[in-house]
Amino acid sequence: MEDWLEVAGKKYRSRLIVGTGKYKDFDETKRAIEVSGAEIVTVAVRRVNITDPNKENLLDYLDPKKYTILPNTAGCYNAEDAVRTCRLAREAGVGKLVKLEVIGDDKTLFPDVPATLEAAKILVKEGFDVLPYITDDPITAKKLEDIGCKAVMPLAAPIGSGLGIRNPYNIRIILEQANVPVIVDAGVGTASDAALAMEMGCHGVLMNTAIAGAKDPILMAEAMRLGIEAGRKAFRAGRIAKKLYATASSPLEGILN
Amino acid sequence: MGMNIKINGEDKEMASGLSVAELLEELQIRPARVVVERNRAIVARDASTQLAEGDTLEIVHFVGGG
């Protein structure tokens, strides 16, 4: 049976979305992404270094025809900056999909929810396909869906923390009520975290540091791909109920006495 | 005659009447890979955008990020 992740009208085979930050170089970025199997990759918008003669560009390593480029608004602390960043990103000609993140505080990197809602309204009105990074709050998720966001992306834990899903119960409530994909964004540490998100029924997982920060990023990229696939298959297969006592696996008839 | 403009936060003196396309060429930046904002408005990266004294430019591109 075909099993697709559908985001903003486009179908993807992979449910893993990866970032491109923190790698040693563009070559490592490219190899890790290839091994991860991801088809959507996030990028940031920054000033060109006008005095540096080295003009290598990330997009020279990531073909926008092969990957869906998902520009983020990382580093924006208010709605205005986030909207400005999205407009610049769209002008680069890689589409209208954006990862909206409006940061509220640089220690936790938790989102500023009111500012995120404000920016989302403007961006949806301007025709962007908005994927907002949010806290694991079902009310915020619902509001963003109502505004017209194409997915909601609750954090598992703070960005780069590697703590895994800290509040699976909230994620479950978000999943229960959402009519758009729920993509766990940020906080994943290892493959089992990604698998758990999938087993819960999340539609996708977005990560960067968990792969780029691993001792062997290429091997971790593969582990994440497998974790996502295993978790998704387990979810679709339907796990057994948890029980306090044993249930014998071998038949009781025919036991020697 | 030169003109003073600000590019990515740096004060620069460039030849008067430069277009955005000429500026990018001067800076050895490939137009296809960047987006240019002049005085907070996105502008075309070609000869149609003429720069003027006191302009503030932002030249941005995609970098690695999550």
Side-chain angles (χ1 to χ4, degrees):
Chain A
M1 198 183 90
E2 296 279 15
D3 179 45
W4 303 94
L5 165 65
E6 194 171 336
V7 181
K10 201 169 163 195
K11 287 176 167 179
Y12 301 93
R13 230 169 259 284
S14 172
R15 291 177 179 274
L16 177 57
I17 302 173
V18 295
T20 53
K22 297 185 178 175
Y23 286 98
K24 189 176 73 196
D25 51 37
F26 286 151
D27 188 57
E28 190 185 65
T29 313
K30 183 187 167 152
R31 284 190 298 135
I33 290 167
E34 274 169 5
V35 170
S36 78
E39 295 159 287
I40 306 176
V41 297
T42 65
V43 298
V45 177
R46 290 292 180 271
R47 282 173 165 170
V48 171
N49 183 348
I50 55 168
T51 48
D52 183 4
N54 176 19
K55 302 299 182 196
E56 266 197 330
N57 185 285
L58 179 60
L59 291 191
D60 295 336
Y61 287 79
L62 291 175
D63 184 1
K65 286 192 211 85
K66 187 173 165 196
Y67 297 103
T68 293
I69 305 293
L70 175 58
N72 69 26
T73 62
C76 292
Y77 283 78
N78 58 62
E80 192 192 347
D81 288 348
V83 169
R84 181 186 184 195
T85 302
C86 289
R87 287 175 183 151
L88 287 166
R90 181 160 66 177
E91 192 66 18
V94 294
K96 54 182 185 165
L97 202 65
V98 289
K99 174 184 165 181
L100 172 63
E101 50 183 309
V102 186
I103 302 300
D105 150 57
D106 58 12
K107 192 169 178 188
T108 60
L109 297 179
F110 281 146
D112 179 330
V113 169
T116 304
L117 289 164
E118 188 190 336
K121 272 182 211 158
I122 299 168
L123 292 167
V124 167
K125 212 174 279 174
E126 292 187 11
F128 285 94
D129 290 331
V130 183
L131 314 185
Y133 154 74
I134 51 168
T135 28
D136 50 11
D137 169 23
I139 308 302
T140 303
K142 196 73 207 152
K143 283 187 180 176
L144 285 161
E145 181 184 325
D146 290 345
I147 285 170
C149 291
K150 300 292 187 188
V152 288
M153 305 208 294
L155 53 81
I159 295 172
S161 69
L163 288 172
I165 299 182
R166 293 207 298 189
N167 196 340
Y169 304 102
N170 275 27
I171 302 281
R172 259 170 62 185
I173 296 172
I174 293 172
L175 278 165
E176 229 177 72
Q177 62 173 26
N179 300 302
V180 292
V182 176
I183 297 166
V184 164
D185 177 9
V188 164
T190 188
S192 56
D193 297 333
L196 180 64
M198 286 290 110
E199 287 173 7
M200 289 172 60
C202 293
H203 303 90
V205 178
L206 195 163
M207 64 179 77
N208 187 349
T209 308
I211 297 175
K215 272 194 192 117
D216 183 341
I218 310 300
L219 192 56
M220 187 56 92
E222 187 184 2
M224 290 301 185
R225 174 171 64 77
L226 295 171
I228 292 277
E229 283 175 12
R232 179 64 186 175
K233 283 184 179 164
F235 170 71
R236 288 174 61 207
R239 61 153 297 154
I240 60 162
K242 290 181 184 177
K243 283 180 287 195
L244 190 57
Y245 292 101
T247 315
S249 302
S250 308
L252 297 175
E253 300 105 68
I255 292 174
L256 306 181
N257 49 20
Chain B
M1 266 287 285
M3 62 176 174
N4 296 301
I5 56 177
K6 193 173 268 218
I7 309 172
N8 288 358
E10 283 179 47
D11 291 315
K12 293 265 176 196
E13 195 183 337
M14 309 299 292
S16 292
L18 218 56
S19 70
V20 167
E22 287 163 338
L23 175 75
L24 293 177
E25 202 185 322
E26 178 110 10
L27 297 171
Q28 293 180 295
I29 293 170
R30 282 177 292 164
R33 288 280 190 251
V34 299
V35 176
V36 181
E37 197 187 56
R38 183 185 58 169
N39 304 330
R40 290 240 163 194
I42 293 167
V43 293
R45 304 181 287 278
D46 56 26
S48 69
T49 311
Q50 213 71 28
L51 298 174
E53 171 74 27
D55 276 352
T56 296
L57 296 177
E58 294 290 346
I59 306 173
V60 302
H61 63 165
F62 290 136
V63 302

